[in-house]
Amino acid sequence: MTTSRPRTRIQAKNHALILEAALDVFSSHGFRGATLDQIAERAGLSKPNLLYYFASKEAMHQALLARLLETWLDPLRAMNAGGDPVAEILAYVQRKLQLARDFPRESRLFANEMLQGAPRMMDAITGDLKALVDQKAKVLQAWMDQGRIARLNPVHLIFSIWALTQHYADFDVQVRGVLGEGHDPWAEAGEYLQTLFTRLLRPLP
Amino acid sequence: MTTSRPRTRIQAKNHALILEAALDVFSSHGFRGATLDQIAERAGLSKPNLLYYFASKEAMHQALLARLLETWLDPLRAMNAGGDPVAEILAYVQRKLQLARDFPRESRLFANEMLQGAPRMMDAITGDLKALVDQKAKVLQAWMDQGRIARLNPVHLIFSIWALTQHYADFDVQVRGVLGEGHDPWAEAGEYLQTLFTRLLRPLP
DNA sequence: CCCGTCCTTGACCAAACGGTCAATCCTTGA
DNA sequence: TCAAGGATTGACCGTTTGGTCAAGGACGGG
């Protein structure tokens, strides 16, 4: 069934089971590289059963992307124009980092989509995402004009937050490989990014 | 032929033609998502002809990764312990940014490999790459100990350079989509990163 | 307890996949 | 100019791919 949301308990369970498995596979192989057989095996269901709950491979991917976008935009939405500028931005950085740590597969799914040129997310990017960024960029710009944070390109400031936090999820293998044993990448990242943005944002005298 | 390097002019030409096409396809669909037919079409050669020059799809991918690693490590190698610390680091940032701008497909190929857990690059990461980073981290640490740049986690400083520069290549669609018309992402990125690292590195009084 | 609906799957399909091979075409050096 | 080796490809192979379908199993309200 392509129809909206699950109606029975079994539907709810298997719907979730499939999306969970699909996230695993899509996030590490991309859309084209993922196969229904892989997803079916990981979900513990037969392939035809998968297609009983989702109309197609495409539909599974779309369902994941739709769910993802909400989660992804929320922390930026939470950045409050009324709060203390530096504290608000630092809080956003840490929330985004936690998101990357707790949902690395979602982060990689998103990254895969971007690498492929966002064929299934273009609308969301130039629509909701751009609108939200434009709005928050204005908030940042106002803070800068008031001299409460350093003057920077506000949109690129947001880009740098995205880049620095997602990096730890998307390039996890590289981060761990280069750090070697006996490191907690996420804890170190939290500290490092705190320092970085504190220094970056402090207004010049 | 899998054998080392091309011997005839035709081999040299087609070898390059194939790798060029393969880079296109691998970088935007990942290894599993890429097909020989796609590569063949983009190279303007028949599929059997591809396999006359490369033993397998795997071999093409490996050839690309091998070539990539050299290009990728070079700018970091060029960071000179004898130079001015801030200037050296800023120069590295700009070199890396240029690399991302001029070779976005290579950047995406690398990103794809990382997202998949680096199944074909693990050795290089924990080997050459880690060794180089460890070495350069020591240089950075020495500069910090001398009070010539601000005190930061040196390895994460390197991570942040990678993250911020690669982001503009790997998430190009997002960057352009969010910025909208009338922007030069690379020029803006160059300026923004110059400012960011200048502020970040300036030693505290 | 029974029947309609929901759920599940083995068997199957056409297309696409990576790769092979024999036959042929082309280039080149003597 | 001509033979030998390099280059090219149509036809093909076995497997995997996304997706279908009919048939049967499980479940729940009456």
Side-chain angles (χ1 to χ4, degrees), chain B residues 58-166:
Chain B
E58 185 78 39
M60 292 177 207
H61 196 253
Q62 218 105 46
L64 284 173
L65 286 186
R67 207 180 57 173
L68 172 61
L69 210 75
E70 286 314 299
T71 320
W72 234 233
L73 262 51
D74 272 348
L76 183 53
R77 281 210 193 88
M79 202 175 71
N80 177 14
D84 173 67
V86 174
E88 285 292 326
I89 296 170
L90 289 178
Y92 174 49
V93 170
Q94 295 298 331
R95 268 197 306 270
K96 204 83 174 58
L97 188 64
Q98 275 166 35
L99 217 63
R101 185 194 60 196
D102 297 339
F103 304 100
R105 295 174 306 171
E106 279 83 349
S107 183
R108 285 183 207 124
L109 180 72
F110 188 78
N112 256 308
E113 187 63 13
M114 290 303 114
L115 285 177
Q116 286 158 34
R120 304 157 222 275
M121 279 198 92
M122 255 312 188
D123 291 352
I125 289 173
T126 57
D128 289 0
L129 181 60
K130 176 168 167 42
L132 181 61
V133 170
D134 284 347
Q135 180 206 324
K136 295 302 180 182
K138 274 187 189 147
V139 172
L140 292 170
Q141 189 63 58
W143 285 340
M144 292 171 195
D145 291 343
Q146 294 161 19
R148 302 175 72 190
I149 57 172
R151 218 169 259 293
L152 293 162
N153 185 317
V155 179
H156 286 264
L157 173 57
I158 293 174
F159 287 161
S160 64
I161 295 172
W162 292 349
L164 288 167
T165 52
Q166 291 220 195

Side-chain angles (χ1 to χ4, degrees), chain A residues 29-194:
Chain A
H29 291 100
F31 180 76
R32 290 231 40 203
T35 73
L36 290 180
D37 293 278
Q38 275 177 287
I39 297 171
E41 194 189 4
R42 213 165 293 214
L45 298 173
S46 68
K47 188 166 59 167
N49 207 5
L50 251 60
L51 292 160
Y52 171 74
Y53 291 101
F54 289 89
S56 64
K57 179 183 173 182
E58 186 78 39
M60 292 177 207
H61 196 253
Q62 219 105 45
L64 284 172
L65 286 186
R67 208 181 56 174
L68 171 61
L69 210 74
E70 286 314 298
T71 320
W72 233 233
L73 261 53
D74 272 347
L76 182 54
R77 280 210 193 89
M79 202 175 72
N80 176 14
D84 174 64
V86 174
E88 284 293 327
I89 297 171
L90 289 178
Y92 174 49
V93 170
Q94 295 298 331
R95 267 197 306 270
K96 204 82 174 59
L97 187 64
Q98 275 166 35
L99 217 62
R101 183 193 62 197
D102 296 339
F103 304 101
R105 294 173 307 170
E106 278 83 350
S107 182
R108 284 185 207 120
L109 180 72
F110 187 78
N112 257 308
E113 187 62 13
M114 291 302 115
L115 286 177
Q116 286 158 34
R120 305 157 222 275
M121 279 197 93
M122 254 313 187
D123 290 353
I125 289 174
T126 57
D128 290 358
L129 181 60
K130 177 168 168 40
L132 181 61
V133 170
D134 283 348
Q135 181 205 323
K136 294 303 181 182
K138 273 186 190 149
V139 173
L140 292 170
Q141 189 63 57
W143 285 340
M144 291 171 196
D145 291 342
Q146 294 160 17
R148 303 174 72 188
I149 57 172
R151 220 171 256 293
L152 292 163
N153 185 314
V155 178
H156 286 265
L157 174 57
I158 293 173
F159 287 161
S160 65
I161 294 172
W162 292 348
L164 288 167
T165 51
Q166 291 219 196
H167 184 78
Y168 287 94
D170 301 346
F171 287 65
D172 181 78
V173 207
Q174 193 189 37
V175 168
R176 289 181 194 277
V178 167
L179 282 176
E181 299 283 316
H183 283 266
D184 181 347
W186 295 106
E188 295 176 11
E191 254 185 79
Y192 177 78
L193 294 185
Q194 187 81 12

